[in-house]
Amino acid sequence: MKKLLITLTAFALIALAACGGSGDSNGEGSSDNGSSEDKGTITMGVTPWTSTVPPTKIAKLIIEDMGYTIEETQADVSSIFMGLSRGDIDVFMDSWMPVHQNYFDEYEDSIESTSISYEDASSGLVVPTYVEGIETTADLEGKEDMFGNEIYGIEEGASATEEIDNFIEANNLDFEQVNSSEGGMIAEAQRKISNEEPVIFYGWRPHTMFNEFDLKVIEDESGEFFESSTIHVVTNNQVSEDHSDVYDFLSNWSIPIEDVEEMIVKIENGQNEEEVAQEWIDNNQDKVDEMLGN
């Protein structure tokens, strides 16, 4: 009896295998016709900046549709560039140039600028428009106490943080930079603005702060600090060799700065990040096809 059961079981397994093989050979038995092919994993670096999210989520959905698994690594920008150089991170969608030039200089043998995402992203120190007499950086000298001798900035380790410190030192200003997350900086600025108190902090576009508050960017007369940025997509050098289709897509990547700002507003108003990204893809299919080389 035991021998009979073993024999019947063996025949059953052979029959199942045959059915499976038949379905695969003629294309039947697969609901996605191969679209679920896993080509490997692409790791994307994500900084704690609102500007990083929309491009990252759009690229994520498109690359996933190409058959890859996406992992996101949350980190500050210096750690992301280090991860890119080591091959732990494959892609970063939000590199601000020339602010991040020091990272390219340090890791030039292992990373590359793959494309320009968008241009004319202004950044610098900002104040509310109700703060009078502060139009240029030269106007700050002798008026530091108006702001409690504090400039609010983003996280430690960011290139902008270093640039603000260099700006303070170069101009012999009696300021101390107070660093926190982007959200922490905005919350402190919002608290002071709600009371119409003078406040100075780091601002950049694209960002909803210019939609939420009436701000002005302080002009740097020297031209040495806070110049307009061009936003680059960065990859480690292995992506072009190991995932050429992803590299080709990212090489063709671009997005209008106005679209990024619009998506940031939607996300901050509570819409799901990936739903906002998918909406952009659906509304810009011609552009997506162009980036994919279709």
Side-chain angles (χ1 to χ4, degrees):
M1 182 68 177
K2 183 176 180 181
K3 183 175 180 180
L4 176 61
L5 286 173
I6 292 173
T7 302
L8 290 173
T9 300
F11 276 120
L13 290 172
I14 292 170
L16 285 171
C19 291
S22 174
D24 289 343
S25 63
N26 61 18
E28 297 175 356
S30 175
S31 61
D32 56 13
N33 292 320
S35 63
S36 62
E37 176 190 0
D38 187 356
K39 295 182 178 180
T41 299
I42 299 292
T43 303
M44 306 185 74
V46 184
T47 56
W49 310 332
T50 54
S51 62
T52 305
V53 174
T56 302
K57 292 300 182 181
I58 292 171
K60 172 183 183 291
L61 292 176
I62 294 172
I63 296 171
E64 283 180 337
D65 197 48
M66 294 165 67
Y68 291 88
T69 298
I70 296 294
E71 290 184 358
E72 296 184 12
T73 296
Q74 308 279 339
D76 62 69
V77 66
S78 60
S79 297
I80 284 177
F81 271 94
M82 183 178 294
L84 284 164
S85 71
R86 294 176 174 176
D88 300 326
I89 295 174
D90 298 304
V91 181
F92 178 43
M93 300 294 297
D94 199 26
S95 174
W96 290 56
M97 294 290 286
V99 177
H100 292 163
Q101 184 61 52
N102 58 317
Y103 298 120
F104 282 93
D105 293 341
E106 183 175 0
Y107 303 122
E108 61 181 351
D109 294 333
S110 54
I111 66 173
E112 66 172 282
S113 171
T114 306
S115 62
I116 293 177
S117 189
Y118 51 90
E119 298 179 304
D120 298 325
S122 58
S123 63
L125 296 177
V126 301
V127 295
T129 55
Y130 60 72
V131 176
E132 299 179 355
I134 305 294
E135 305 297 332
T136 70
T137 53
D139 296 328
L140 293 171
E141 187 175 354
K143 298 178 182 177
E144 295 93 336
D145 58 349
M146 177 191 297
F147 304 97
N149 302 89
E150 293 180 332
I151 294 175
Y152 294 99
I154 55 176
E155 71 274 5
E156 294 281 0
S159 298
T161 299
E162 182 180 357
E163 186 172 30
I164 292 172
D165 284 337
N166 291 339
F167 164 77
I168 292 171
E169 182 179 357
N171 290 277
N172 297 312
L173 296 173
D174 187 17
F175 275 116
E176 178 184 354
Q177 184 176 184
V178 179
N179 296 107
S180 63
S181 65
E182 175 188 329
M185 179 189 73
I186 297 298
E188 186 61 31
Q190 184 173 21
R191 183 183 68 81
K192 290 183 175 291
I193 290 172
S194 65
N195 295 320
E196 291 201 5
E197 299 176 30
V199 60
I200 181 170
F201 58 103
Y202 180 62
W204 66 92
R205 187 183 178 210
H207 199 286
T208 56
M209 67 177 77
F210 290 96
N211 300 88
E212 296 174 0
F213 312 124
D214 193 4
L215 303 173
K216 56 185 176 182
V217 179
I218 301 172
E219 180 187 353
D220 174 32
E221 292 181 312
S222 70
E224 297 178 9
F225 301 94
F226 313 122
E227 55 191 307
S228 292
S229 296
T230 300
I231 313 309
H232 291 236
V233 174
V234 186
T235 59
N236 69 50
N237 288 349
Q238 289 301 115
V239 173
S240 62
E241 298 179 17
D242 298 341
H243 310 291
S244 59
D245 52 349
V246 174
Y247 181 81
D248 290 343
F249 158 60
L250 294 173
S251 297
N252 295 324
W253 170 273
S254 69
I255 187 170
I257 188 173
E258 294 82 6
D259 289 8
V260 177
E261 287 180 324
E262 183 179 336
M263 286 185 281
I264 291 172
V265 171
K266 290 179 179 179
I267 291 168
E268 291 197 347
N269 286 338
Q271 285 190 242
N272 177 271
E273 295 172 353
E274 293 199 4
E275 288 179 0
V276 171
Q278 186 61 57
E279 181 182 352
W280 187 91
I281 293 171
D282 294 341
N283 292 335
N284 295 272
Q285 193 59 56
D286 290 346
K287 185 170 183 60
V288 173
D289 288 342
E290 182 180 338
M291 290 191 289
L292 289 170
N294 295 337

